[in-house]
Amino acid sequence: MASKEKQVCEICKNQISKYKCPKCVKKYCSVSCFKSHKENDCHQKLSKTDNTIINATESQELLTNIPDLGIEETEDRVLPETFQCLRENPDLLVTLENPHLRSLMTNLVSSPSPAKDMGRAMKEPIFLEFADQCLKVVDNNSQVKAGINVKNTG
């Protein structure tokens, strides 16, 4: 069995890296290295397969500048309006303040095996609560779009 090779911090180049930047996945060892990286040289990857955490301004820009990718509408595609509802939902905003949930999500974003880590995250009560809240918002939004009367059960 091959041992997991330890990698050196890409910022200070002195310590073993323990973390990955959620935007560009550059490896770093400490808060000070992360802050230095964030202030000086963090560049978000532009790959279509990236899953990155973005700030509110970037989120708004993405919602208002959605490119036409020629993707046909399907019943399981989440529309921009639904993302807006997710972003503005007060229950989700409170849940997202939980440091453990934020840590789980950051780990998922930078995970080399997201499917495996998603399985682990789904065993965490706070992550399940978050997922349920997201699904409730998406379902309610879908029903409203379909013209079904939805009562707020939150």
Side-chain angles (χ1 to χ4, degrees), residues 12-31:
C12 71
K13 311 223 187 293
N14 293 326
Q15 303 291 323
I16 301 296
S17 64
K18 297 177 187 174
Y19 314 101
K20 291 181 189 174
C21 174
K23 285 189 176 183
C24 69
V25 250
K26 195 173 238 188
K27 293 170 181 56
Y28 63 94
C29 67
S30 65
V31 172

Side-chain angles (χ1 to χ4, degrees), residues 28 45 63 84 87 94-95 106 113 125 154:
Y28 63 94
K45 284 184 171 182
L63 283 172
Q84 182 74 24
R87 190 175 72 229
V94 169
T95 303
T106 301
S113 55

Side-chain angles (χ1 to χ4, degrees), residues 128-143:
L128 282 175
E129 179 183 338
F130 171 73
D132 287 343
Q133 288 173 331
C134 288
L135 289 172
K136 187 184 296 184
V137 170
V138 170
D139 287 345
N140 286 347
N141 192 274
S142 297
Q143 291 175 1

Side-chain angles (χ1 to χ4, degrees), residues 11 28 30-42:
I11 312 307
Y28 63 94
S30 65
V31 172
S32 61
C33 280
F34 176 71
K35 286 180 179 178
S36 171
H37 164 67
K38 187 176 172 184
E39 292 170 2
N40 299 315
D41 68 347
C42 183

Side-chain angles (χ1 to χ4, degrees), residues 14-147:
N14 293 326
Q15 303 291 323
I16 301 296
S17 64
K18 297 177 187 174
Y19 314 101
K20 291 181 189 174
C21 174
K23 285 189 176 183
C24 69
V25 250
K26 195 173 238 188
K27 293 170 181 56
Y28 63 94
C29 67
S30 65
V31 172
S32 61
C33 280
F34 176 71
K35 286 180 179 178
S36 171
H37 164 67
K38 187 176 172 184
E39 292 170 2
N40 299 315
D41 68 347
C42 183
H43 303 289
Q44 182 176 349
K45 284 184 171 182
L46 299 174
S47 167
K48 287 183 181 178
T49 59
D50 276 349
N51 295 318
T52 58
I53 295 175
I54 58 176
N55 66 34
T57 304
E58 292 169 325
S59 176
Q60 185 60 41
E61 288 173 8
L62 287 174
L63 283 172
T64 56
N65 301 318
I66 298 171
D68 180 14
L69 301 175
I71 300 172
E72 67 180 70
E73 294 294 323
T74 62
E75 69 180 57
D76 59 345
R77 181 171 176 208
V78 179
L79 298 173
E81 298 84 15
T82 304
F83 282 117
Q84 182 74 24
C85 290
L86 286 166
R87 190 175 72 229
E88 295 172 353
N89 184 279
D91 294 332
L92 281 174
L93 294 173
V94 169
T95 303
L96 284 168
E97 291 175 1
N98 183 297
H100 183 59
L101 176 62
R102 294 173 72 91
S103 174
L104 288 169
M105 293 177 72
T106 301
N107 289 339
L108 280 172
V109 167
S110 60
S111 173
S113 55
K116 183 177 175 182
D117 288 339
M118 178 63 89
R120 285 188 198 128
M122 290 301 287
K123 294 177 184 172
E124 296 282 341
I126 188 68
F127 193 85
L128 282 175
E129 179 183 338
F130 171 73
D132 287 343
Q133 288 173 331
C134 288
L135 289 172
K136 187 184 296 184
V137 170
V138 170
D139 287 345
N140 286 347
N141 192 274
S142 297
Q143 291 175 1
V144 167
K145 285 204 163 294

